Amino acid sequence: MLSVDGYSDPPRISDLSFEVNSGELVLLLGGPGSGKSRFMDVLAGLRRGCGDSVEIGGLSPADTAARRRCSYVFQGDNFDGTRSVAKQLGRALLAYGGSAASVAGEISEWALRWEISDIERPGRELDLASLQAASLGLGLLPDTDLVVMDEPARNLDPERTLILLEALRDRGRRAVLALVSPPTPLAEVADRIVFAGGDGGDEI
Amino acid sequence: MRSSGRLWLGESVDLVFDIRRVSLYLIVPPVLAFIVYFEAYLSGVGATRIMSLGQRVMLALWNSTILLSLIAGLQGGAFFSRVFGSAWFRNRLALPSARLHAFCWFLTSYGALVTIFYLLTAFAILVAMPRPSDFATLPALVNCYTPLLWSVAASALFGLLARPGAASFLFLATVTMGSVTGLPQVAGKLPDWIASVLRVIFPRLGDSFLGSMGVESYGYFSLAVPLHALVLLLVGAWVFLRLARGRR
């Protein structure tokens, strides 16, 4: 589903290669400043990688067709802080092809499950844990083949971290790539761990 | 409309038609009324040349255009710079929608806001001021509308290229140059080649104004400003796509 072949971002990452196949949960592990967020931008087609080394379903991440198959959760700034989070989340789901009627129901269910009582309010009025929980909806609610998340457990309280682990266990045929700093609670549900700083992308 | 296109329509309408942004345009009617009455007073006491009824209506329309253009451009430069430069907007470009839609819808929504206020103002002028029976209303409205389109296109481009304050300043500088380089009093003092270059770089707002007032009759000038706007629009779209693709 996702293929990374010799991605480099000197001096942080050199010659990173790995694949994420359907149904797999792969963690890309790296400390702060290891180039994970820059790599996230490359995966989202917002930054050019060296030598077109990243492909999603055989397509460049900048291709709209590739982005239709992939959903993203960035480390921060997933929503405009001045407007309703629910409204922005709803628009994103509509962009993935959801219907207006089903989207409203999905967001209500999501808010209930993740205990986001103020999801209708502007992003800046939500606490960090609720905002992160709402951001995870951008990645996990759309019906995509691949989910890419940058520090998904960041800012989550223990209860919501458990909900995230449960959601990742129930991923079905979806491929998931999570970019995380150690130590991470996601390690217990991961199929593979790739080290961002390692030469050539060491795996365990 | 495809759902991916609706994403940016909704986002742009939300932000452009924000009450804080719209409220700034409410200063146009009182300021315009003051200018029109002040010009009538100056003309009445002989301080300015006597104008025909048609010229007075045309001048009022131009005054509304200048006011709206300045607000649209100064506010627009800062607005586009803030939106296009924000992290949430950049992250939203990862959603499955053609990225050019983001640029086009923000421009369209901003243009719609300015157009609504222009039409309201122009309607008020045409209702309130007497005009001769042979006054060509539609050409006058179109001619005065084109600088507004230019302002929206220019502010979007400057918003992409500079920070909020600098984008507004760039707009103001370009408008000033475009207004003065078209005037014969200025152009006559410059070497021909410099005047020619300046006329290509800056919009011929001064020429367009004089042409429509019947001071100079250059019919094609009404096309020069929208063509300039179109070029800025295309350059803006190209810059937007380049920036959306990011650096290495």
Side-chain angles (χ1 to χ4, degrees):
Chain A
M1 186 62 233
L2 170 68
S3 156
V4 180
D5 184 14
Y7 170 79
S8 293
D9 178 13
R12 303 169 192 89
I13 299 176
S14 79
D15 200 24
L16 180 68
S17 298
F18 65 95
E19 285 190 355
V20 185
N21 300 309
S22 292
E24 267 192 320
L25 167 57
V26 176
L27 299 188
L28 181 67
L29 203 66
S34 61
K36 294 193 304 295
S37 293
R38 286 167 67 95
F39 182 54
M40 174 80 183
D41 286 348
V42 174
L43 292 170
L46 297 170
R47 185 185 288 271
R48 280 174 289 173
C50 295
D52 293 328
S53 51
V54 178
E55 286 186 349
I56 295 172
L59 299 166
S60 158
D63 198 315
T64 310
R67 283 183 278 126
R68 205 166 282 133
R69 301 179 64 182
C70 186
S71 48
Y72 301 89
V73 182
F74 292 87
Q75 193 174 337
D77 297 308
N78 287 288
F79 301 109
D80 171 21
T82 64
R83 293 177 295 138
S84 161
V85 168
K87 198 172 178 182
Q88 293 178 73
L89 181 55
R91 284 224 181 93
L93 298 183
L94 288 174
Y96 281 102
S99 71
S102 68
V103 160
E106 283 176 51
I107 293 174
S108 299
E109 272 180 40
W110 189 263
L112 204 63
R113 183 180 177 196
W114 289 81
E115 298 173 6
I116 317 168
S117 56
D118 39 11
I119 197 165
E120 296 291 341
R121 303 186 73 82
R124 64 181 172 206
E125 294 179 19
L126 268 66
D127 62 87
L128 286 176
S130 296
L131 194 59
Q132 180 64 14
S135 299
L136 290 170
L138 284 171
L140 296 171
L141 277 173
D143 185 19
T144 52
D145 299 327
L146 172 68
V147 185
V148 181
M149 301 188 280
D150 192 1
E151 302 288 6
R154 190 186 164 100
N155 298 323
L156 291 182
D157 47 51
E159 291 80 16
R160 285 174 173 140
T161 303
L162 289 176
I163 299 173
L164 172 62
L165 294 179
E166 189 187 322
L168 291 175
R169 276 194 198 97
D170 294 342
R171 63 186 176 277
R173 296 292 300 157
R174 276 178 146 188
V176 179
L177 173 66
L179 288 63
V180 290
S181 305
T184 173
L186 272 62
E188 65 180 84
V189 291
D191 295 309
R192 276 186 296 134
I193 298 176
V194 179
F195 292 94
D199 191 15
D202 296 337
E203 291 189 26
I204 57 169
Chain B
M1 191 191 302
R2 288 180 58 153
S3 55
S4 61
R6 277 207 303 266
L7 165 74
W8 291 113
L9 168 65
E11 296 287 86
S12 60
V13 167
D14 266 4
L15 290 170
V16 168
F17 287 86
D18 184 287
I19 189 68
R20 285 161 296 185
R21 183 156 299 97
V22 173
S23 58
L24 190 59
Y25 289 85
L26 298 178
I27 68 167
V28 172
V31 172
L32 185 64
F34 172 77
I35 292 172
V36 168
Y37 281 105
F38 189 62
E39 282 165 354
Y41 168 77
L42 289 178
S43 183
V45 297
T48 59
R49 58 189 279 183
I50 297 169
M51 286 186 285
S52 66
L53 282 178
Q55 282 180 321
R56 286 184 63 182
V57 174
M58 202 65 216
L59 188 61
L61 285 173
W62 268 107
N63 283 327
S64 73
T65 295
I66 292 166
L67 268 174
L68 285 168
S69 290
L70 284 175
I71 294 173
L74 291 173
Q75 189 197 50
F79 168 71
F80 286 117
S81 178
R82 274 196 201 98
V83 171
F84 293 154
S86 64
W88 71 263
F89 179 84
R90 184 169 176 275
N91 289 345
R92 215 125 174 96
L93 291 175
L95 291 172
S97 172
R99 288 178 177 163
L100 197 56
H101 284 172
F103 181 74
C104 293
W105 276 118
F106 267 93
L107 228 75
T108 306
S109 297
Y110 200 78
L113 171 72
V114 176
T115 303
I116 289 169
F117 275 93
Y118 173 69
L119 289 176
L120 288 173
T121 314
F123 177 75
I125 290 169
L126 294 174
V127 168
M129 295 182 74
R131 57 188 191 281
S133 56
D134 61 343
F135 184 78
T137 305
L138 193 60
L141 286 175
V142 171
N143 201 40
C144 290
Y145 179 59
T146 53
L148 291 171
L149 290 179
W150 181 88
S151 297
V152 173
S155 61
L157 176 62
F158 296 148
L160 281 166
L161 297 174
R163 289 178 176 277
S168 298
F169 177 79
L170 269 175
F171 172 83
L172 198 60
T174 311
V175 166
T176 307
M177 290 299 288
S179 301
V180 298
T181 51
L183 297 174
Q185 295 90 328
V186 176
K189 291 176 185 167
L190 294 170
D192 281 350
W193 70 272
I194 293 181
S196 304
V197 170
L198 291 177
R199 282 172 175 231
V200 171
I201 295 173
F202 298 110
R204 300 163 87 157
L205 297 169
D207 288 339
S208 185
F209 170 75
L210 293 178
S212 65
M213 289 296 288
V215 179
E216 307 281 352
S217 72
Y218 303 130
Y220 66 91
F221 281 149
S222 57
L223 272 181
V225 176
L227 281 176
H228 203 270
L230 183 65
V231 171
L232 292 182
L233 195 68
L234 293 174
V235 173
W238 181 78
V239 170
F240 181 84
L241 287 176
R242 295 282 297 178
L243 292 176
R245 191 67 212 279
R247 301 183 307 269
R248 278 194 192 279

